[in-house]
Amino acid sequence: MLPLSFREFCRFQGHQPILYGPEKSVTEAFFQKFLNQGGYPELIGLEDQALHVAYLQEYYNTMLLRDILEYHQLSNFQYLRALFRLAASSIAQPISVRRFFNQLKSMGYAVGLNTLYEVMNHAEDAFLFKRIRRFDNSSSKSEKSDKKIYWLDNGLLRALIGSTEAKGTLLENTFFPPPLSAIWLDVSAAYFLLFRSVS
């Protein structure tokens, strides 16, 4: 199941997000919470942060086991957790699968480069994250360029790599270009302006 967009996150809790007026402060508070905790509906309202993180880690384990390992019948999976932690630590940075390959090799994991390409595609199919190409007027240059990784939920991301004070990184991850579906399209650029007024 996909996490909620920010507008859905607000409406789920009975709030209509607005940019102006007396309710703006409420929208700002919801946005800060959404930015840091993500949008899985089952966890909205859960105030115990340790329990919140534990549930998100369980979500991740389920996605890893059921949607990637079992569905694609992978046998050599010892490297997967290390691979996805590398991906989680590379938010909004240009990355290449070959670089991950070299990093895993230096960590002692034996896995083929082609296998890593396949596994990264599997992770996208499981809605764990998306990889976005750099725009270029030349389609061949765009295809060959390193991609940026964006996770589909900030809460899940923070549950994997721990708390981070990098608001800019979380913000960019929240507003990554939505190639997958229209679920993020209702989060307009206006909320970027809203966030700037919060900090």
Side-chain angles (χ1 to χ4, degrees):
M1 181 178 63
L2 291 172
L4 301 176
S5 69
F6 176 55
R7 180 170 297 178
E8 292 168 334
F9 178 84
C10 289
R11 289 178 173 174
F12 191 86
Q13 300 175 86
H15 175 68
Q16 176 64 38
I18 61 171
L19 292 175
Y20 306 101
E23 292 294 311
K24 177 186 175 182
S25 61
V26 178
T27 300
E28 291 174 349
F30 275 123
F31 185 76
Q32 289 286 0
K33 188 174 182 180
F34 177 78
L35 186 71
N36 289 286
Q37 296 185 2
Y40 282 102
E42 298 92 338
L43 303 184
I44 293 177
L46 184 61
E47 298 300 332
D48 187 322
Q49 293 303 305
L51 190 57
H52 192 278
V53 170
Y55 275 123
L56 286 170
Q57 290 173 339
E58 186 62 30
Y59 284 3
Y60 168 72
N61 289 332
T62 299
M63 296 167 73
L64 186 65
L65 178 63
R66 184 188 63 195
D67 299 335
I68 298 178
L69 292 177
E70 292 183 355
Y71 185 81
H72 296 285
Q73 299 180 343
L74 301 179
S75 55
N76 179 14
F77 56 85
Q78 297 300 324
Y79 63 91
L80 283 181
R81 290 187 182 277
L83 171 63
F84 294 148
R85 284 191 66 85
L86 289 174
S89 300
S90 303
I91 293 300
Q93 302 174 25
I95 60 94
S96 69
V97 175
R98 183 173 293 277
R99 191 186 81 184
F100 286 158
F101 170 77
N102 291 331
Q103 288 176 308
L104 289 172
K105 186 177 179 180
S106 69
M107 295 164 66
Y109 294 102
V111 57
L113 180 60
N114 289 336
T115 298
L116 288 188
Y117 278 107
E118 293 175 358
V119 167
M120 293 294 281
N121 289 335
H122 297 336
E124 289 195 57
D125 292 339
F127 304 118
L128 195 59
F129 53 71
K130 294 295 294 183
R131 290 173 294 166
I132 309 298
R133 296 188 188 95
R134 185 190 68 190
F135 173 78
D136 196 291
N137 289 324
S138 169
S139 58
S140 62
K141 288 183 180 179
S142 177
E143 182 66 31
K144 293 177 182 178
S145 67
D146 290 344
K147 300 177 181 179
K148 288 186 175 184
I149 290 181
Y150 296 93
W151 286 65
L152 269 67
D153 185 76
N154 272 353
L156 189 64
L157 171 64
R158 288 169 64 92
L160 290 183
I161 63 175
S163 179
T164 174
E165 298 302 322
K167 276 188 176 181
T169 299
L170 292 176
L171 184 64
E172 182 173 353
N173 191 67
T174 299
F175 291 98
F176 80 94
L180 176 64
S181 71
I183 191 168
W184 278 274
L185 290 179
D186 63 2
V187 185
S188 69
Y191 287 111
F192 175 74
L193 298 177
L194 168 66
F195 176 79
R196 290 175 61 186
S197 72
V198 174
S199 55

